[in-house]
Amino acid sequence: MAKKVKRDKAAREDSAVPTRKLTAGDYEDELYRLHVELVKLQQWVQASGSKICVVFEGRDGAGKGGTIKAITERTSPRVFRVVALPAPTNREKTQMYLQRYVPHLPAAGEVVIFDRSWYNRAGVERVMGFCTEEQVQDFLQAVPLVERAIVDSGVRLFKYWLEVSPQEQTRRLTDRIEDERKIWKLSPMDLQSYGRWYDYSRARDDMFKATDTEFAPWLVARTDDKRRARLNIISDLLSRIPYQPVKRDKVVLPKRQKAGDYREPDYPYRYIAERF
């Protein structure tokens, strides 16, 4: 029992909110280092034929989009593939619920990132009344079985829940309203669901209880500090995959050919205005 108490105390200390200030320079330096590691991961995934699936869920304004962008901005979209499905079509509504997600699961040599996923049913669809309670319960019972099959097929499945405080969520959504660059991020659904904080809390709690398994656990990240959260999530993801650097041949640029008889044409190119 004493050992368990010590472990629990250590876990609480490890998860405590850090006090060291993360400067913009610190963030950029660390993100650069992690981007290098993500490229190494990409090369390993391609060379080994590994299959990786990363699910991002969380409250509106929790930072899913920014985190996904931080992960993918220096990798190939042909390897790191982001899936953000729109509302289901009339045909898809008649299918088995998880059916439309299955074709997007990774093949060998791919990393698939779901910007929201099949867990829509346990979250927004449940809270906003887009499905029945019976459908929710059927979903919660079925998901562990489906995820077990996904993992048994050789897919490394990681599920991240991004948790933001109500105060920070309010600040971010208000910023979206006031910033012309971000207004597109604020959907009518965001506005309708904003007031249902505790309905979402109850839905999250039920979801965790039913689907937080040993083979596909929920990994929770606090995201009130967006920069720190991005670094923590990328670092955590990398730590869970046994990738190794892939040996590469040294790259040397070949000599450029000589002009020979080529002459630049006297052509009236339509150059754009150089305003900057």
Side-chain angles (χ1 to χ4, degrees), residues 19 45 52 77 161 195 200:
T19 56
V45 166
I52 297 174
W161 176 269
Y200 274 99

Side-chain angles (χ1 to χ4, degrees), residues 50-220:
S50 295
K51 299 178 286 186
I52 297 174
C53 180
V54 187
V55 169
F56 280 104
E57 293 288 345
R59 300 180 188 272
D60 296 326
K64 295 180 292 297
T67 299
I68 292 170
K69 182 178 179 180
I71 292 173
T72 59
E73 63 183 338
R74 297 294 179 178
T75 54
S76 169
R78 291 184 293 274
V79 180
F80 277 72
R81 189 159 50 84
V82 178
V83 177
L85 297 185
T89 64
N90 289 334
R91 179 177 182 276
E92 288 171 334
K93 289 177 182 178
T94 68
Q95 296 175 340
M96 181 182 73
Y97 179 74
L98 287 157
Q99 185 173 340
R100 76 184 190 122
Y101 294 95
V102 171
H104 299 281
L105 291 172
E110 290 183 341
V111 178
V112 171
I113 299 175
F114 281 93
D115 184 356
R116 292 200 182 274
S117 65
W118 45 91
Y119 282 102
N120 275 341
R121 171 132 297 179
V124 63
E125 290 188 16
R126 182 183 196 180
V127 172
M128 301 307 296
F130 296 149
C131 60
T132 67
E133 189 59 27
E134 181 180 6
Q135 288 174 319
V136 173
Q137 295 306 319
D138 288 345
F139 169 81
L140 292 177
Q141 290 180 22
V143 164
L145 301 176
V146 174
E147 291 181 350
R148 175 84 262 184
I150 291 172
V151 171
D152 287 348
S153 75
V155 175
R156 297 178 187 271
L157 176 60
F158 304 99
K159 303 185 303 190
Y160 286 95
W161 176 269
L162 278 56
E163 187 62 45
V164 65
S165 69
Q167 297 82 8
E168 181 62 15
Q169 185 193 51
T170 298
R171 189 194 68 78
R172 291 180 187 176
L173 296 183
T174 301
D175 185 46
R176 291 181 184 181
I177 294 171
E178 297 174 349
D179 191 332
E180 293 286 344
R181 300 168 300 172
K182 300 178 182 178
I183 192 65
W184 63 271
K185 291 184 177 182
L186 194 65
S187 70
M189 189 60 58
D190 294 336
L191 295 175
Q192 291 181 44
S193 63
Y194 170 75
R196 303 188 181 187
W197 178 270
Y198 292 105
D199 287 343
Y200 274 99
S201 294
R202 283 186 281 269
R204 176 203 59 196
D205 296 346
D206 288 348
M207 182 184 76
F208 274 30
K209 184 177 180 180
T211 64
D212 184 20
T213 59
E214 287 298 322
F215 55 86
W218 278 105
L219 308 167
V220 182

Side-chain angles (χ1 to χ4, degrees), residues 200-244:
Y200 274 99
S201 294
R202 283 186 281 269
R204 176 203 59 196
D205 296 346
D206 288 348
M207 182 184 76
F208 274 30
K209 184 177 180 180
T211 64
D212 184 20
T213 59
E214 287 298 322
F215 55 86
W218 278 105
L219 308 167
V220 182
R222 285 187 295 260
T223 62
D224 276 18
D225 184 330
K226 287 197 280 189
R227 286 177 173 174
R228 198 182 294 274
R230 292 167 191 167
L231 299 180
N232 286 334
I233 292 169
I234 297 173
S235 179
D236 182 86
L237 177 63
L238 290 168
S239 73
R240 295 175 185 276
I241 304 171
Y243 69 99
Q244 298 291 332

